[in-house]
């Protein structure tokens, strides 16, 4: 329901307050910007009071701020309430990830649960613009936001009623593959421990995916009308909903593709999104590639827009769905290596990785409207999207090359046996490979039992 205003808000803000495209972009960006700022403090809140309570607090704050946004009639008011909405979403997202992690603990279960969560989220994204555009058209500006506030309040009551039944203990968080909590670390990992180069690359993929949607949010309705004619807000809402309906269908099956090579799947998804940017940019009247076949409202325009909407859905499912599970796997192995533990430190990374993932996605969603809105004003929508195509292609190439280098140069990613144990028994293959350059221990010394060497090794790894 947070994204229901894309079909109508830009036109409404321009007609009522004279807001420019970049101003509307700032309003859209206020929510993810506040979510980014609140992500890491919220992690402390979730850890101290538990996800169920943090979830209820976030939903209540979101209901109040959504109603306030609908009652506002000025740019300043919209910005202020949008910031409150963003701060409210931070505990919601982090809490949901932790609850899922505590509930689905078997091998591969969290990946499937995360995919089904993405399916539900994308269904919300799909229905939001449809209902938002329709409610605005028949009930005015306040109607969609009042309905959203009521829905959030109902979910507060629901989560309070289910709070005692949620299988979560804030002192023991387990993730896929862990059946014995005694093997897991009891201390939550720090940001420096979880942020390896591979995690940073995965966060970059989440940043780009959300950045694409953030760029399109404030200007896609204007683009559709420029290409297809003066279509109604309801039709624009239906077109926008296609971008999220396709990933809702594909999020669950996509986790079964390329097991153990999710980074390549993410790279393919980014390439598809680059193609989408190329189609949108090439079909826009402001772009350099428009021909006589692309007249406003022509059949070619309709086909090209619908094809791009299907492609962006497929690309999103491939580039977004595997990111969080892959981040958790990579960071669990890394933290266990840093601490010299015999099992992936999955319990220690849940909250910090959720915070990092949410912060990266929020940063992309915030940068999209601001930078994208500015680029649209300076370069035009067509040229701005062509630039996006270049960026997405370049990042997909970097991600692919990093995975190829990891596979062809295993010396850069020293196996677990350097710590005195077998990688096949201590670290299940589902957690991927270790990505830190460890020196082998001195002859006759086991780094798990020898405290001084273990501490020295840990300090060495932290410095790397």
């Amino acid at each position: 329901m947070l994204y229901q205003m894309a079909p109508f808000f830009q036109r409404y803000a321009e007609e009522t307050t004279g807001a420019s495209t970049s101003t509307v972009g700032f309003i859209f960006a206020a929510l993810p910007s506040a979510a980014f700022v609140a992500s890491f403090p919220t992690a402390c809140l979730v850890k101290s009071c538990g996800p169920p309570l943090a979830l209820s607090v976030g939903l209540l704050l979101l209901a109040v701020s959504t109603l306030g946004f609908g009652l506002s009639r000025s740019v300043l008011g919209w910005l202020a309430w949008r910031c409150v909405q963003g701060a409210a979403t931070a505990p919601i997202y982090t809490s949901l990830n932790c609850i899922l992690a505590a509930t689905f603990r078997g091998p591969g279960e969290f990946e499937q649960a995360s995919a089904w969560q993405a399916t539900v989220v994308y269904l919300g994204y799909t229905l939001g613009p449809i209902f938002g555009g329709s409610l605005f058209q028949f009930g005015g500006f306040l109607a969609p936001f009042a309905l959203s506030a009521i829905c959030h309040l109902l979910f507060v009551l629901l989560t309070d009623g289910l709070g005692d039944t949620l299988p979560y203990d804030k002192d023991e968080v387990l993730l896929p593959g862990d059946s014995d909590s005694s093997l897991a670390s009891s201390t939550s990992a720090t940001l420096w421990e979880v942020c390896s180069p591979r995690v940073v690359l995965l966060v970059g993929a989440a940043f780009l995916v959300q950045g694409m949607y953030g760029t399109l949010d404030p200007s896609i309705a204007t683009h559709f009308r420029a290409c297809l004619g003066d279509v109604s807000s309801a039709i624009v809402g239906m077109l926008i909903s296609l971008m999220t309906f396709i990933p809702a269908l594909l999020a669950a099956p996509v986790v079964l593709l390329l097991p153990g090579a999710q980074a390549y799947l993410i790279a393919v998804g980014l390439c598809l999104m680059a193609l989408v940017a190329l189609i949108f940019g090439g079909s826009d009247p402001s772009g350099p590639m428009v021909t006589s076949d692309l007249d406003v409202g022509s059949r070619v325009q309709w086909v090209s827009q619908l094809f791009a909407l299907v492609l962006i859905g497929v690309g999103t499912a491939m580039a977004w769905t595997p990111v969080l599970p892959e981040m958790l796997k990579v960071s669990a192995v890394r933290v266990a290596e840093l601490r010299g533990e015999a099992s992936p430190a999955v319990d220690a990374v849940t909250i910090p990785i959720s915070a990092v993932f949410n912060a990266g996605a929020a940063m992309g969603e915030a940068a999209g409207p601001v930078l994208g809105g500015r680029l649209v004003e300076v370069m035009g929508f067509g040229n701005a999207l062509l630039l996006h195509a270049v960026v997405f292609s370049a990042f997909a190439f970097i991600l692919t090359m990093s995975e190829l280098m990891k596979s062809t140069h295993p010396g850069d990613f020293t196996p677990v046996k350097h710590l005195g144990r077998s990688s096949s028994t201590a670290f299940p293959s589902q957690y991927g490979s270790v990505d830190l350059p460890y020196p082998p221990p001195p002859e006759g010394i086991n780094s798990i039992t020898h405290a001084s060497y273990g501490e020295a090794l840990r300090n060495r790894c932290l410095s790397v």
Side-chain angles (χ1 to χ4, degrees):
M1 301 302 285
L2 291 173
Y3 304 94
Q4 61 182 333
M5 65 185 194
F8 61 84
F9 183 72
Q10 181 177 14
R11 174 181 285 188
Y12 178 84
E14 182 180 356
E15 292 175 350
T16 57
T17 66
S20 65
T21 301
S22 59
T23 300
V24 173
F26 275 108
I27 295 173
F28 273 89
L31 185 152
S33 298
F36 169 73
V37 173
S39 292
F40 299 112
T42 293
C44 300
L45 172 67
V46 173
K47 184 173 178 60
S48 62
C49 69
L53 179 58
L55 179 61
S56 296
V57 171
L59 286 171
L60 181 61
L61 187 59
L62 186 59
V64 173
S65 56
T66 299
L67 182 61
F69 188 95
L71 292 171
S72 297
R73 294 297 183 270
S74 66
V75 170
L76 184 60
W78 288 326
L79 279 170
W81 285 116
R82 195 74 170 162
C83 287
V84 180
Q85 284 182 314
T89 61
I92 294 174
Y93 292 148
T94 301
S95 298
L96 287 175
N97 290 335
C98 291
I99 292 172
L100 286 177
T103 306
F104 300 96
R105 304 179 179 182
E109 287 185 1
F110 179 73
E111 287 88 340
Q112 286 291 337
S114 182
W116 282 111
Q117 180 195 24
T119 297
V120 174
V121 170
Y122 285 127
L123 283 177
Y125 290 166
T126 300
L127 297 176
I130 296 176
F131 283 113
S134 301
L135 287 172
F136 171 78
Q137 188 167 346
F138 297 106
F141 184 74
L142 177 60
F145 300 101
L147 178 62
S148 296
I150 293 173
C151 291
H152 296 321
L153 287 176
L154 290 177
F155 275 108
V156 171
L157 299 177
L158 181 62
T159 54
D160 284 343
L162 296 177
D164 295 335
T165 66
L166 293 175
Y168 179 82
D169 179 356
K170 65 175 181 283
D171 295 323
E172 180 181 335
V173 181
L174 297 178
L175 286 181
D178 289 297
S179 57
D180 185 357
S181 62
S182 64
L183 295 177
S185 170
S186 61
T187 305
S188 181
T190 65
L191 295 178
W192 295 113
E193 287 179 305
V194 300
C195 287
S196 67
R198 290 181 67 194
V199 167
V200 172
L201 278 176
L202 291 169
V203 172
F207 173 89
L208 287 179
V209 172
Q210 289 300 309
M212 169 70 88
Y213 280 87
T215 298
L216 295 177
D217 267 344
S219 54
I220 189 64
T222 302
H223 166 74
F224 283 146
R225 292 188 174 100
C227 295
L228 306 177
D230 191 18
V231 294
S232 67
S233 295
I235 292 178
V236 171
M238 292 180 184
L239 290 173
I240 294 174
S241 68
L242 284 178
M243 291 192 297
T244 51
F245 180 68
I246 301 298
L249 294 177
L250 298 180
V254 81
V255 298
L256 303 176
L257 301 176
L258 297 178
Q262 296 293 297
Y264 295 114
L265 186 66
I266 295 170
V268 172
L270 293 175
C271 289
L272 291 179
M273 297 188 76
L275 180 57
V276 169
L278 186 64
I279 295 173
F280 277 152
S283 63
D284 193 81
S286 67
M289 302 168 59
V290 176
T291 66
S292 59
D293 294 331
L294 294 177
D295 292 334
V296 175
S298 67
R299 179 178 298 180
V300 175
Q301 280 284 26
W302 276 96
V303 171
S304 64
Q305 302 309 305
L306 291 174
F307 181 63
L309 291 173
V310 172
L311 274 186
I312 195 174
V314 176
T316 299
M318 298 175 69
W320 174 264
T321 308
V323 171
L324 178 59
E326 190 72 6
M327 288 175 62
L328 287 170
K329 291 178 181 180
V330 170
S331 60
V333 175
R334 171 187 168 88
V335 171
E337 286 294 302
L338 292 175
R339 297 179 175 184
E341 296 173 352
S343 177
V346 288
D347 64 316
V349 303
T350 312
I351 293 178
I353 279 295
S354 295
V356 171
F357 172 76
N358 294 333
M363 188 187 302
E365 193 177 347
V370 175
L371 298 179
R374 184 58 180 166
L375 286 174
V376 168
E377 285 189 340
V378 174
M379 305 172 59
F381 183 87
N383 290 321
L385 266 292
L386 293 177
L387 180 60
H388 277 66
V390 174
V391 173
F392 272 74
S393 301
F395 191 88
F397 176 77
I398 293 172
L399 184 61
T400 302
M401 292 304 299
S402 68
E403 289 299 302
L404 290 174
M405 291 177 64
K406 183 191 71 172
S407 302
T408 57
H409 300 284
D412 296 335
F413 302 90
T414 306
V416 180
K417 64 183 180 181
H418 280 179
L419 291 179
R421 56 186 180 272
S422 169
S423 61
S424 61
T425 56
F427 292 90
S429 60
Q430 68 189 45
Y431 288 97
S433 58
V434 181
D435 58 351
L436 285 178
Y438 295 108
E443 186 69 25
I445 293 182
N446 186 313
S447 63
I448 299 179
T449 58
H450 195 287
S452 61
Y453 180 77
E455 182 65 20
L457 179 62
R458 181 176 181 274
N459 292 335
R460 169 74 180 278
C461 296
L462 289 175
S463 67
V464 172

